[in-house]
């Protein structure tokens, strides 16, 4: 077996050449000094690093792997220098040539690092483009849903666009963000393009908040994109709801119920816009139509509408838009229309035999219209409705303002309480009789006894009043004015004929039901 070659004289350049060749990561220095196992270990380490590093990842190579590999290369270089100091090279025969080759091969790891950085940058670009695609898919899916359901997805997509533009401004994905934002605005604002104005209001309102998330330099003209569209949507949704008055606005929203708030938002958010200038004319027109409707088939509906309009218009903030005085006039007109319309409503309710409602409507009319041309008849209708509450037959016909007659009827009060007497028939009226001093309430049982004669005590002065009425059926109702809620009224139906004098007596009984009541006798 041949003996090992004798050690060569120490040669520093040769040691440096072996060290430089080992720094290439391929173990070539060991190969030139005939250390094949060490050369294989270097190659294995490099192969392991490549397995970890490839394919290139945006996060790069793990730091621990880089540190271990660097330590190994430095150790190989140091060990190779020690071995090469006294070991002749197998090839090339001259040290300077080996040294030059070592320097040249240092470009291998350097070039690999450059290539890896490029691959890593491309991987990062692809990752960012994937994020952009995911945000695009979010917007596309959200555009097929109602806005309120899609709001969260729109917000996530917007945050993704902003992160791409802010955190990676030089990337290809960031360069595409402005176009994506235009598509985003178009998708969110799609209800406006479809003329679904009520649905467009929350969507466009949302778009006006986008500059809080995305920088204005990214948005450009999009910053003002929603404004005119939102002003139009607020006006159209509110005006449709105002016109319908039934809760239905265009586009499936609830413009009818929300029109005051929508107009309010328009007047405060865009007070100088052309749309805001149309608010007062729209309100004025709605009031006019409601006033006209009082003379239509459903006056009570019109009155209710006017009452609502008066209150709602009063709450509209017209100061900034300069329409507060005009709106105040519209509200006043609606209020006056409701007050005057109570008469037509009461007449309609009376004809429908809803005497409770008719009485309330007429009393409202009388309270708010001291000098109206219909006041006299409204008083008659209120009396007749009150009579008909007790005697429904009294409400068969609407009373007129007629008065007087040829038949004398005297009404006496045999009651300790003041009595209000109401009557209706050919003529309608009412009056009050004061309480009878010394008169007492009758026991209910005594009114059933033979010989019961109210107002029959000789020598007693009964408060009384004589009226003249036409022939025909007259309905009387007596109501105690004691203020007791347990006192029930009494009624009497009189068939009046010429040639007769009639006397009617009012009295109070105790034990009728739960309390007292008034009685009458002709």
């Amino acid at each position: 077996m041949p003996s090992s070659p004798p050690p060569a004289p120490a040669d520093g350049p040769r040691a440096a050449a072996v060290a430089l060749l080992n720094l290439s990561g391929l173990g070539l220095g060991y190969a030139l000094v005939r250390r094949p196992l060490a050369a294989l270990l270097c190659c294995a380490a490099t192969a392991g690093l490549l397995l970890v590093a490839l394919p290139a990842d945006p996060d790069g190579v793990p730091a621990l792997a880089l540190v271990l590999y660097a330590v190994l290369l430095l150790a190989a270089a140091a060990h190779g220098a020690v071995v090469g100091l006294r070991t002749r090279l197998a090839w090339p025969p001259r040290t300077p040539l080996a040294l030059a080759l070592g320097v040249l091969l240092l470009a291998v790891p350097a070039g690999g690092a450059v290539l890896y950085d490029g691959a890593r940058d491309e991987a990062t670009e692809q990752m960012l483009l994937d994020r952009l695609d995911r945000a695009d898919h979010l917007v596309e899916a959200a555009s097929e849903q109602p806005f309120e359901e899609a709001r969260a997805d729109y917000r996530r997509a917007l945050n993704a666009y902003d992160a791409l533009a802010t955190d990676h401004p030089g990337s290809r994905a960031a360069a595409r963000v402005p176009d994506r934002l235009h598509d985003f605005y178009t998708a969110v604002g799609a209800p406006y393009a479809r003329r679904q104005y009520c649905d467009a209001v929350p969507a466009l309102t949302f778009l006006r908040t986008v500059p809080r998330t995305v920088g204005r330099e990214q948005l450009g003209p999009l910053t003002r994109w929603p404004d005119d569209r939102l002003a139009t949507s607020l006006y159209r949704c509110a005006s449709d709801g105002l016109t319908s008055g039934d809760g239905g606005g265009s586009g499936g929203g609830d413009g009818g119920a929300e029109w005051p708030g929508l107009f309010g938002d328009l007047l405060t958010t865009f007070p100088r816009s052309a749309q805001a200038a149309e608010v007062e004319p729209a309100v004025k027109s709605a009031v006019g139509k409601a006033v006209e409707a009082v003379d239509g088939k459903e006056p009570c509906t019109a009155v209710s509408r006017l009452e609502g309009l008066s209150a709602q218009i009063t709450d509209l903030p017209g100061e900034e838009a300069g329409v507060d005085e005009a709106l105040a006039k519209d509200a006043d007109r609606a209020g006056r229309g409701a007050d005057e319309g109570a008469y037509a409503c009461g007449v309609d309710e009376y004809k429908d035999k809803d005497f409770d409602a008719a009485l309330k409507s007429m009393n409202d009319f009388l309270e708010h219209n001291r000098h109206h041309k219909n006041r006299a008849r409204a008083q008659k209708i209120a009396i007749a409705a009150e009579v008909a509450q007790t005697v429904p037959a009294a409400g068969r016909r609407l009373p007129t303002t007629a008065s007087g007659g040829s038949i004398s009827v005297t009404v006496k009060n045999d009651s300790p309480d003041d009595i209000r007497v109401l009557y209706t028939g050919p003529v309608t009226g009412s009056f009050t009789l004061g309480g009878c001093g010394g008169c007492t309430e009758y026991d209910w049982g005594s009114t059933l006894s033979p010989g019961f004669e109210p107002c029959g005590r000789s020598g007693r002065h009964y408060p009384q009043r004589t009226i003249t009425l036409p022939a025909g059926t007259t309905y009387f109702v007596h109501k105690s004015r004691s203020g007791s809620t347990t006192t029930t009224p009494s009624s009497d139906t009189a068939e009046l004929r010429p040639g007769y004098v009639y006397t009617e007596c009012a009295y109070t009984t105790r034990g009728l039901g739960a309390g007292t009541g008034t009685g009458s006798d002709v």
Side-chain angles (χ1 to χ4, degrees), residues 140-160:
E140 182 180 357
S143 66
E144 298 176 358
Q145 301 174 350
F147 173 75
E148 292 301 338
E149 296 179 14
R151 182 191 291 268
D153 287 341
Y154 280 134
R155 179 63 67 184
R156 282 194 289 270
L158 190 63
N159 289 334

Side-chain angles (χ1 to χ4, degrees), residues 149-445:
E149 296 179 14
R151 182 191 291 268
D153 287 341
Y154 280 134
R155 179 63 67 184
R156 282 194 289 270
L158 190 63
N159 289 334
Y161 291 143
D162 178 61
L164 290 171
T166 303
D167 300 338
H168 309 279
S171 65
R172 297 201 300 270
R176 300 179 187 181
V177 165
D179 289 339
R180 293 303 197 274
L181 287 173
H182 183 274
D183 295 340
F184 178 87
Y185 272 66
T186 302
V188 176
Y192 175 84
R194 296 193 293 266
R195 298 184 179 182
Q196 296 172 335
Y197 297 111
C198 290
D199 290 341
V201 168
L204 294 170
T205 301
F206 168 81
L207 287 177
R208 295 189 79 236
T209 68
V210 170
R212 303 175 191 171
T213 302
V214 180
R216 293 180 181 271
E217 65 278 2
Q218 295 293 332
L219 294 172
L222 291 174
T223 302
R224 309 298 299 176
W225 189 89
D227 291 355
D228 186 69
R229 292 170 172 82
L230 177 57
T232 298
S233 297
L234 286 168
Y235 174 76
R236 292 294 299 271
C237 180
S239 59
D240 287 351
L242 173 65
T243 301
S244 67
D246 59 4
S250 76
D254 194 17
E258 296 181 356
W259 71 262
L262 295 169
F263 272 159
D265 289 344
L266 175 58
L267 291 170
T268 54
T269 307
F270 308 103
R272 300 303 175 187
S273 65
Q275 295 88 340
E278 295 296 322
V279 170
E280 193 279 328
V283 169
K284 183 177 182 179
S285 175
V287 172
K289 290 179 180 178
V291 170
E292 293 176 1
V294 170
D295 296 326
K297 294 182 179 180
E298 299 201 11
C300 293
T301 300
V303 168
S304 177
R305 169 84 163 145
L306 286 167
E307 290 173 343
L309 285 172
S310 179
Q312 292 163 328
I313 297 171
T314 300
D315 293 336
L316 289 179
E319 295 83 358
E320 293 184 56
V323 295
D324 49 328
E325 292 184 4
L327 288 173
K329 292 179 181 178
D330 294 332
D332 181 66
R333 183 187 178 197
R336 285 186 286 105
D339 291 340
E340 295 181 8
Y343 174 78
C345 175
V347 170
D348 190 63
E349 290 166 336
Y350 191 96
K351 290 179 178 179
D352 290 340
K353 312 304 181 187
D354 189 352
F355 302 117
D356 292 344
L359 178 59
K360 181 180 183 304
S361 295
M362 286 304 173
N363 285 338
D364 289 343
F365 174 80
L366 293 169
E367 179 182 355
H368 296 102
N369 297 273
R370 301 292 182 182
H371 306 288
H372 198 278
K373 63 180 181 179
N374 290 326
R375 182 175 178 82
R377 193 177 186 198
Q379 290 173 324
K380 300 288 188 179
I381 295 174
I383 293 170
E386 195 169 355
V387 173
Q389 285 179 316
T390 303
V391 188
R396 290 173 183 169
R397 289 185 297 273
L398 202 65
T400 67
T401 55
S403 62
S406 59
I407 301 175
S408 176
V409 178
T410 299
V411 183
K412 298 181 179 182
N413 185 14
D414 187 6
S415 166
D417 299 328
D418 293 348
I419 296 294
R420 183 166 174 250
V421 180
L422 305 94
Y423 58 92
T424 187
V427 297
T428 301
S430 68
F431 57 88
T432 300
L433 290 177
C436 172
C439 293
T440 59
E441 298 172 346
Y442 289 97
D443 181 74
W444 172 244

Side-chain angles (χ1 to χ4, degrees), residues 420-473:
R420 183 166 174 250
V421 180
L422 305 94
Y423 58 92
T424 187
V427 297
T428 301
S430 68
F431 57 88
T432 300
L433 290 177
C436 172
C439 293
T440 59
E441 298 172 346
Y442 289 97
D443 181 74
W444 172 244
S446 65
T447 63
L448 304 177
S449 303
F452 173 69
E453 294 184 12
C455 299
R457 294 187 181 182
S458 61
R460 174 165 289 176
H461 176 72
Y462 295 101
Q464 61 183 3
R465 181 170 176 175
T466 300
I467 56 176
T468 55
L469 301 175
T473 303

